[in-house]
Amino acid sequence: MSQTRPNSVAQPHNAMAQSTVNYVGDHIEPSLYRNGKLGVRRDQSGSDVPLAESTDPSAAHAPAPVVLRNGRTAEPKMNLRLNGFEMRPRPSLPIDYYSFSDTVNKYYRDCENAVKEATGARWVFAFDHNLRSKSGNSKLKRQADAAEGRQGLVQGPARVVHGDYTLRSAPDRLRQLGEPPKANDTLKDILGDKPLLPPEVLAAATAPEGRWGLINVWRNIADTPVQAYPLACTNAKTFKKNELVTFEIHYNDRIGENYFAKYNPNHEWYLYPHLTRDEILLLKQWDSAGTLAKSGGRVADADGSVDSPSTFSFHSAIDQPPPPGAPDRESMEVRCVVIYDPPQPSSKL
């Protein structure tokens, strides 16, 4: 193993490097379900105010050192089914990622196809996206043709260890996608009052033998490889259930939830150095066949069968200053809902 200096991000030929990510501190109690103790109220512009009885989320963060394994060279290779993420080559479309219209009308279709190819799922529907850029966020930049409000707003890199859904919010989101879109939904102006998921698709997902999931397609949209605040992912099979903390996001028309995590040195972190515009990261945000999901929270992915699917992968932007002169990170993640044809004995995911 090549030697790296502390607090350095892995380079293409390094096997490992050390860095820092933000977990939640020991003073925050674990929770698989919402309890009002950690959360925010979020308005249409994306601004957050801590819930009245909640710990301020910024005061909950606790930086911790982690070892970053190089995902490009690591053996065995991480994969979506077992570990919750994987990197794939995927040439960028000739579109403007800062165009809301190009994103939802062209790029969403490409993401759906990429997820179908990776999973073998019968149905994939893209339904939301986030643009991230530190400089864009500081200038309140947005996709020029997006509707007023949160749609198309450029956010900063998410520098906290998190998963996008929980035991409660993942099924809630699936159900909501089978209902008329709400004001905060990205596709509201396109779908009108028509649900994204047709009734027969929602029925297949929620049937006793049904299987569904939520997967993000993450892409660098800049012309240069990622150097600033790169995204790192965790092996889902290294997290215990008493390390999960529910973070609540109260919108005007619904309540969303993320999982934050408490630190454990046994967590395995992976980074794909210098991701280019022609590569994508697939991040599993939920899998109804995962050990944690299937057991209703009784058994963590780390304690399930070695061959069972993972439920989701924690991830975070690396929280350290970028190298001098590094270009700003510009990235997009597109959220997709995935539904399988039962039974799936030969499913890839």
Side-chain angles (χ1 to χ4, degrees):
M1 183 181 74
S2 58
Q3 296 297 310
T4 57
R5 61 184 177 83
N7 300 320
S8 62
V9 173
Q11 297 301 309
H13 301 294
N14 289 343
M16 292 186 183
Q18 292 179 343
S19 194
T20 303
V21 294
N22 289 310
Y23 285 89
V24 292
D26 291 338
H27 62 293
I28 305 295
E29 66 181 68
S31 54
L32 289 177
Y33 293 95
R34 75 173 74 137
N35 55 19
K37 295 185 177 179
L38 188 65
V40 294
R41 192 167 299 281
R42 181 169 294 169
D43 65 22
Q44 288 264 136
S45 71
S47 299
D48 292 343
V49 176
L51 296 177
E53 304 300 320
S54 161
T55 300
D56 185 333
S58 60
H61 294 173
V66 294
V67 172
L68 296 173
R69 294 160 174 82
N70 188 325
R72 295 186 184 276
T73 58
E75 292 294 342
K77 294 287 183 191
M78 295 292 102
N79 68 76
L80 195 61
R81 180 183 182 277
L82 293 176
N83 314 109
F85 66 95
E86 65 181 60
M87 187 271 286
R88 290 185 160 223
R90 184 106 188 161
S92 173
L93 296 180
I95 63 168
D96 177 7
Y97 289 99
Y98 284 97
S99 160
F100 183 83
S101 174
D102 276 9
T103 299
V104 299
N105 293 313
K106 298 175 183 177
Y107 187 50
Y108 273 23
R109 305 294 83 77
D110 187 56
C111 290
E112 291 166 352
N113 291 334
V115 172
K116 270 190 180 181
E117 290 168 17
T119 63
R122 179 172 180 184
W123 294 287
V124 178
F125 298 87
F127 64 90
D128 192 15
H129 66 276
N130 284 329
L131 269 168
R132 297 192 187 276
S133 159
K134 188 166 176 61
S135 63
N137 173 256
S138 64
K139 297 172 185 173
L140 296 180
K141 189 175 180 179
R142 62 186 302 111
Q143 289 181 309
D145 51 347
E148 286 301 316
R150 184 173 170 271
Q151 289 184 7
L153 189 68
V154 179
Q155 303 176 45
R159 290 180 284 173
V160 61
V161 181
H162 69 284
D164 289 7
Y165 296 96
T166 69
L167 284 161
R168 181 170 181 169
S169 70
D172 279 356
R173 198 67 183 113
L174 176 72
R175 174 182 51 77
Q176 290 159 1
L177 294 172
E179 300 171 349
K182 294 183 170 60
N184 198 52
D185 287 335
T186 299
L187 296 178
K188 169 66 177 171
D189 291 344
I190 293 171
L191 294 173
D193 290 330
K194 180 184 175 184
L196 176 72
L197 299 182
E200 65 275 14
V201 174
L202 186 61
T206 54
E209 71 280 11
R211 184 183 179 193
W212 57 276
L214 296 157
I215 293 174
N216 283 7
V217 180
W218 190 99
R219 185 189 291 271
N220 169 21
I221 60 170
D223 292 329
T224 52
V226 175
Q227 295 182 54
Y229 307 106
L231 184 70
C233 308
T234 62
N235 179 356
K237 297 296 184 80
T238 61
F239 278 77
K240 303 282 190 178
K241 67 176 187 177
N242 62 355
E243 296 162 357
L244 276 55
V245 177
T246 301
F247 173 67
E248 304 171 30
I249 308 164
H250 290 240
Y251 299 97
N252 290 335
D253 51 11
R254 64 184 175 90
I255 299 176
E257 295 175 357
N258 295 161
Y259 275 136
F260 285 176
K262 297 172 78 69
Y263 176 68
N264 184 326
N266 294 324
H267 295 160
E268 289 182 8
W269 282 88
Y270 290 83
L271 175 80
Y272 294 90
H274 296 172
L275 280 166
T276 74
R277 193 181 173 98
D278 292 322
E279 297 173 313
I280 57 172
L281 266 181
L282 298 180
L283 281 81
K284 192 194 288 191
Q285 302 300 336
W286 202 258
D287 186 341
S288 66
T291 301
L292 182 79
K294 205 168 181 179
S295 69
R298 292 185 300 276
V299 185
D301 286 352
D303 299 319
S305 158
V306 223
D307 296 324
S308 61
S310 58
T311 303
F312 72 96
S313 168
F314 278 108
H315 50 285
S316 174
I318 296 305
D319 190 32
Q320 64 182 58
D328 189 18
R329 176 187 129 180
E330 297 176 78
S331 64
M332 176 180 285
E333 66 249 28
V334 172
R335 292 192 176 97
C336 298
V337 58
V338 180
I339 300 98
Y340 299 87
D341 242 347
Q344 314 108 30
S346 58
S347 171
K348 298 177 186 176
L349 182 54

